[in-house]
Amino acid sequence: MTRKLLLSTVVGALLAGSMLAGPAGAFERTPDGNIIVFAGRQAIPVLDPHVRYDWSTRMVQQAVYDALVKYEGDPAEIKPWLAESWESSEDGKTWTFRLVDNARFHNGDPVTAEAVRYSFERGLKLNKGVAWMLKDFLAPEGISVVDDRTVKFELKAPYAPFLSFLPWWFVVNPAQVQANEVNGDYGEAWLTENAAGSGPFRIGRWEPNVLYELESVADYWKGWPQADKRPAGVIYRIIREPAAQKASLQRGEVDIAEGLTSDDYVQIANVPGLVIQDHKGMTTFGIKFNTQQGPTADLNLRKAIAYAFDYDALIQIYNGAASLQTSPLPDAMRGHIAVPDIPRKDMAKAREYLARSAYPDGGITLPYVHVAGLEEARRIGLVLLENLKELNINVEITPEQWPNMVANGSRVETSPAMTSVYVTPISTDPDAVAYQYHKNSWGQYYAMAFYDNAEVSQKIDQARASTDWDERARLYAEIQTQIVADQPEVFGMLQNRRWAHRDYLKGFQFSPVRFTGEVDLYPLWIDAE
């Protein structure tokens, strides 16, 4: 069966809603295996692995591309992938990686040390997406090819988190990218909706905002966890409303869904044929203030809002599947401390801070922007609206698509006064969170607060460069305490990570460093017996 015919068959069945629940559900049986249908709310506007990342984008990037190493398990551990081994120098400045000898790109080209060198150079020179993780410590000229299977990184200075970020630096095929360059753009325009990877899946049909097809690579160089059950592919289908997701899952039109509401998870908990994945992760929820422009540039107003907020409502909204933040760092992250006196609801203190602000009588309207279709974030906005009425502050709740939120949040002039953001650290190292509060990270995805404290930025720089964990731990304790004192956001909660899937879907593996709805597609398979 041709791919085009196969996909039209599957999509037609899905859109018609004619397939039955149970083992003969959403997946389509084909001579090459079964196609898994994943329902998500978020589109994939840019597939380029060096330009952009968010949960839906990265889920597909990790399916299509490989990196030197990969995060797996809970707690998350770094495992060899394209690199079979590595070593670092005593001073922490030189890292050498030895590659496997059998990795191949989808067009058959070998994955070489030059491909790795080129990929890191590309990421650094584009200076988008992943660049912030390494650019302060790694220059393109610091990457060299020792031989076809050995690549060396010479850092400008020791950088303790270096290895922890490498799972998100995916390797592209230089030959394919260079063949599609336009005016020296490093193939950026082409890689927006095309791929040059070596991962377990390749790109099939690509219909932005509708569906994205991935075809499994039968002879994937690393093999398959369930070789005899390898899926023929995955269809990532956009369903923006939680109610529609739940209905599609119950009718057997999709095999797995992210983004159901907390009430939905309670309602389907005991439905035969459905399984709920519920894991305590490192995903934090906060309401980020624009600290540089408008009313929320006033520290006292930010403090007033933080003390007026009803934090217990967060736990209620998530039906207990959450815990309150005690620091900007997630509880499970190395270096976390419980910051003394982190704000909790206290209207007396809220009024004291309001009286010290430039708006002692309130009388202002503040926007609260959240991801469209995310019911919990909307309900949190309603809580905030009710809380701030007591301070004579009006809240304007505004739903927005995530790509637009990122675009608006990238500039001081367009970032809203209050933005609802869920953040999953991309690394197990505390720098992954701390650096979001560094001046150099302004406008980089979650740094929508434009927080500016020169002393904090200096301590972050010190902690990044130190190879002495005791020194780093002391610095991160001071960093966490000062950030809370400066209140660039309402520090809310740690959200449990949840998905619902049909019971015939096997191989689900949770790792806390994955983003909100992100799933590792590689180990999934269908038990259709």
Side-chain angles (χ1 to χ4, degrees):
M1 186 181 293
T2 66
R3 177 174 62 79
K4 184 175 181 181
L5 177 59
L6 171 62
L7 184 66
S8 63
T9 300
V10 175
V11 174
L14 289 175
L15 298 182
S18 61
M19 304 192 83
L20 302 174
F27 68 87
E28 176 78 1
R29 291 182 176 86
T30 78
D32 295 324
N34 300 307
I35 295 176
I36 298 168
V37 183
F38 185 112
R41 290 165 293 123
Q42 190 165 284
I44 305 170
V46 178
L47 185 58
D48 192 323
H50 302 141
V51 169
R52 182 189 178 92
Y53 63 90
D54 47 43
W55 80 257
S56 55
T57 302
R58 200 172 74 175
M59 180 172 75
V60 174
Q61 286 171 345
Q62 184 165 252
V64 174
Y65 292 97
D66 291 312
L68 289 172
V69 291
K70 181 179 177 179
Y71 277 118
E72 289 189 327
D74 181 17
E77 295 181 357
I78 288 177
K79 300 294 180 65
W81 213 255
L82 287 175
E84 64 181 12
S85 63
W86 57 88
E87 60 184 23
S88 62
S89 60
E90 216 171 288
D91 64 4
K93 292 175 64 175
T94 303
W95 290 76
T96 305
F97 293 81
R98 181 71 172 167
L99 306 184
V100 298
D101 61 4
N102 64 327
R104 294 288 183 274
F105 289 109
H106 296 154
N107 70 346
D109 292 345
V111 179
T112 62
E114 171 55 24
V116 175
R117 188 207 64 77
Y118 172 84
S119 297
F120 278 81
E121 175 190 80
R122 181 179 187 273
L124 292 168
K125 287 190 173 180
L126 285 175
N127 195 27
K128 300 177 180 180
V130 296
W132 69 268
M133 305 175 196
L134 301 180
K135 68 179 183 179
D136 292 345
F137 293 86
L138 180 65
E141 56 269 22
I143 314 163
S144 61
V145 172
V146 178
D147 57 45
D148 275 355
R149 289 183 56 203
T150 311
V151 61
K152 182 184 291 186
F153 298 86
E154 297 278 358
L155 306 184
K156 303 174 192 176
Y159 183 39
F162 177 70
L163 184 65
S164 74
F165 285 119
L166 296 192
W168 311 124
W169 283 72
F170 294 111
V171 176
V172 300
N173 186 338
Q176 289 179 282
V177 176
Q178 290 167 346
N180 290 281
E181 283 187 359
V182 177
N183 299 322
D185 72 343
Y186 274 99
E188 184 178 345
W190 183 74
L191 280 180
T192 297
E193 293 186 359
N194 294 281
S198 62
F201 295 88
R202 60 168 58 91
I203 297 296
R205 187 172 174 184
W206 200 258
E207 293 190 1
N209 297 306
V210 179
L211 62 85
Y212 308 86
E213 178 200 13
L214 301 175
E215 301 169 343
S216 66
V217 178
D219 58 350
Y220 177 49
W221 63 269
K222 200 171 179 65
W224 288 86
Q226 296 284 343
D228 59 333
K229 303 283 189 178
R230 173 184 61 83
V234 175
I235 289 177
Y236 175 46
R237 179 184 170 200
I238 302 298
I239 303 178
R240 298 200 185 275
E241 295 300 323
Q245 286 184 319
K246 183 179 74 169
S248 294
L249 187 69
Q250 289 180 291
R251 289 196 298 261
E253 296 170 358
V254 302
D255 301 311
I256 179 170
E258 66 79 31
L260 303 185
T261 69
S262 291
D263 290 343
D264 289 337
Y265 284 114
V266 171
Q267 291 166 12
I268 66 174
N270 298 312
V271 172
L274 294 184
V275 175
I276 295 175
Q277 298 287 343
D278 189 340
H279 303 268
K280 185 174 178 62
M282 297 197 294
T283 300
T284 60
F285 169 85
I287 302 172
K288 294 189 179 289
F289 297 118
N290 185 335
T291 66
Q292 299 300 312
Q293 180 174 279
T296 51
D298 186 319
L299 171 60
N300 286 309
L301 179 66
R302 300 198 301 268
K303 285 289 188 183
I305 295 170
Y307 277 105
F309 187 69
D310 182 1
Y311 296 85
D312 291 340
L314 297 173
I315 309 301
Q316 295 167 7
I317 287 171
Y318 278 87
N319 291 303
S323 57
L324 297 185
Q325 270 184 273
T326 58
S327 159
L329 301 187
D331 294 5
M333 180 166 276
R334 195 179 188 196
H336 166 274
I337 66 164
V339 177
D341 302 320
I342 192 168
R344 296 290 183 254
K345 185 170 183 180
D346 185 329
M347 290 308 300
K349 281 189 177 181
R351 292 188 179 92
E352 287 176 17
Y353 279 109
L354 186 68
R356 297 177 202 165
S357 76
Y359 311 92
D361 301 316
I364 56 175
T365 296
L366 300 175
Y368 166 87
V369 178
H370 69 89
V371 175
L374 191 54
E375 175 62 14
E376 289 88 353
R378 186 190 71 83
R379 290 171 63 186
I380 291 168
L382 293 174
V383 171
L384 184 65
L385 184 150
E386 288 300 316
N387 294 158
L388 296 193
K389 277 182 181 177
E390 297 186 51
L391 299 181
N392 192 31
I393 295 173
N394 184 46
V395 175
E396 189 176 79
I397 300 172
T398 306
E400 186 60 270
Q401 297 301 324
W402 175 247
N404 295 334
M405 287 176 63
V406 171
N408 292 335
S410 66
R411 297 171 59 240
V412 168
E413 296 77 14
T414 55
S415 191
M418 299 186 293
T419 305
S420 155
V421 180
Y422 295 79
V423 177
T424 303
I426 60 171
S427 160
T428 53
D429 191 278
D431 185 64
V433 174
Y435 196 69
Q436 298 295 326
Y437 300 95
H438 192 289
K439 177 70 180 287
N440 290 349
S441 72
W442 278 23
Q444 296 281 342
Y445 292 96
Y446 311 116
M448 298 174 178
F450 301 96
Y451 174 64
D452 186 10
N453 183 311
E455 184 180 348
V456 168
S457 290
Q458 182 182 26
K459 288 180 178 179
I460 292 171
D461 287 335
Q462 288 178 255
R464 300 181 101 201
S466 175
T467 56
D468 181 340
W469 172 250
D470 290 338
E471 179 188 17
R472 296 187 76 211
R474 174 185 60 79
L475 287 167
Y476 284 121
E478 295 171 2
I479 288 166
Q480 291 167 77
T481 301
Q482 187 59 55
I483 291 172
V484 170
D486 292 337
Q487 206 74 58
E489 64 189 86
V490 173
F491 296 102
M493 64 172 180
L494 288 157
Q495 175 200 4
N496 282 19
R497 305 281 303 286
R498 291 182 290 183
W499 299 262
H501 62 80
R502 305 297 309 192
D503 58 4
Y504 52 69
L505 182 72
K506 307 296 183 181
F508 185 98
Q509 295 181 9
F510 174 74
S511 187
V513 293
R514 305 203 191 287
F515 283 175
T516 310
E518 180 186 358
V519 169
D520 188 356
L521 302 177
Y522 173 54
L524 297 182
W525 57 284
I526 296 288
D527 182 2
E529 299 303 324

